[in-house]
Amino acid sequence: MLAKALPQPCSGAGGDVHCRHGAQAAWPRSVVGVAGGARRRGGVGGRLVASVAGERSEAVQTAAVAGGKHHVNGSAVAGMDKLVTSTVGKSTNILWHDCPIGQPERQKLLNQKGCVVWITGLSGSGKSTLACALSRELYSRGHLTYILDGDNLRHGLNGDLSFEAKDRAENIRRVGEVAKLFADAGLICIASLISPYRSDRSGCRNLLHNSSFIEVFLNVPLEVCEARDPKGLYKLARAGKIKGFTGIDDPYEPPSDCEIVIHCKAGDCATPKSMADKVVTYLEANGFLQE
């Protein structure tokens, strides 16, 4: 498990970068042992309990003991007094399986700590540009990253989702789950999505240890983003050809207490390299770039 990152001093009001200390995750979670993992309770004869972060089983089935062997759904399992399966959502009779090589071993191999850098902001604020610059900078320093870009993911994993509120929430939920897996693998996962709703971003934060979710807000005014309009989407939205476009006829809820805020004003925006360096400084200060 990740050691809790030490809080770092924040800049004063009006600075480019602000830090977030000790804020609690917005969604409750119930975890036994490692998040999403399983452990034995009570020593010999205890129960093996499976749990998933943020989603506790509603139905728990205990295996019967017969003739010195223990059965789960009709299959004999040696060496277990009891085995408990869970129901999570629509998945029934499931059991978390732990392996001897876990996150600590992977982090030691990579000489870094797994985390999620979640970049949020309006369309045209520079999220993908920052993600690529950050990945390039970390690569040059010998660190392994992976970018989860919102548009790229809609070419595959999330290609079945629309931009309506319900599908946008599911889009972010899926990305959060994938990002959690990359962080567990020991990678620095860089997620670059508009992710307009606070509740959805909080749900992703709640999937990880609070200190290993680093929210980066590109605070770029709408008029700047609209002037850039790299994909021509603002023009289409203003013409009524795109409905539910964030910032035009659908809200963007800015973070209220994120780890890093990068400000940009008309004629006064930092270079991608400069923005990436600020994120790298945060990662260094909080111990993510060393095992």
Side-chain angles (χ1 to χ4, degrees), residues 102-113:
Q103 188 190 48
E105 290 76 22
R106 293 187 286 269
Q107 291 182 153
K108 185 175 182 180
L109 183 67
L110 296 170
N111 194 35
Q112 63 185 42
K113 290 183 172 68

Side-chain angles (χ1 to χ4, degrees), residues 13 18 30 32 57 62 86 103 106 110 128 140 143 185 205 215 221 226 236 248 261 286:
H18 303 274
S30 175
V32 178
S57 166
T62 305
S86 300
Q103 188 190 48
R106 293 187 286 269
L110 296 170
S128 296
S140 71
H143 295 289
R205 178 185 293 276
E215 191 173 12
E226 192 167 356
L236 292 174
I248 303 300
V261 179
N286 287 274

Side-chain angles (χ1 to χ4, degrees), residues 2 103 107 110 112-116 182-189 208 211-214 288:
L2 287 172
Q103 188 190 48
Q107 291 182 153
L110 296 170
Q112 63 185 42
K113 290 183 172 68
C115 64
V116 174
F182 275 113
D184 185 60
L187 276 68
I188 298 170
C189 181
L208 293 97
S211 62
S212 61
F213 185 92
I214 301 127
F288 289 104

Side-chain angles (χ1 to χ4, degrees), residues 119 126-139 145 147 149 152 190 192 272 276:
I119 305 173
K127 299 179 299 299
S128 296
T129 300
L130 172 56
C132 290
L134 177 58
S135 181
R136 185 184 304 113
E137 181 62 27
L138 289 170
Y139 174 81
T145 68
I147 296 174
D149 181 85
N152 290 357
I190 306 167
S192 170

Side-chain angles (χ1 to χ4, degrees), residues 56-120:
R56 196 71 173 103
S57 166
E58 295 179 0
V60 179
Q61 302 173 357
T62 305
V65 179
K69 290 187 177 180
H70 316 289
H71 297 261
V72 178
N73 299 331
S75 301
V77 180
M80 301 290 289
D81 294 315
K82 288 185 179 180
L83 203 61
V84 176
T85 59
S86 300
T87 296
V88 179
K90 296 180 180 179
S91 299
T92 59
N93 303 312
I94 59 174
L95 180 70
W96 186 275
H97 184 82
D98 275 323
C99 296
I101 301 300
Q103 188 190 48
E105 290 76 22
R106 293 187 286 269
Q107 291 182 153
K108 185 175 182 180
L109 183 67
L110 296 170
N111 194 35
Q112 63 185 42
K113 290 183 172 68
C115 64
V116 174
V117 178
W118 191 281
I119 305 173
T120 178

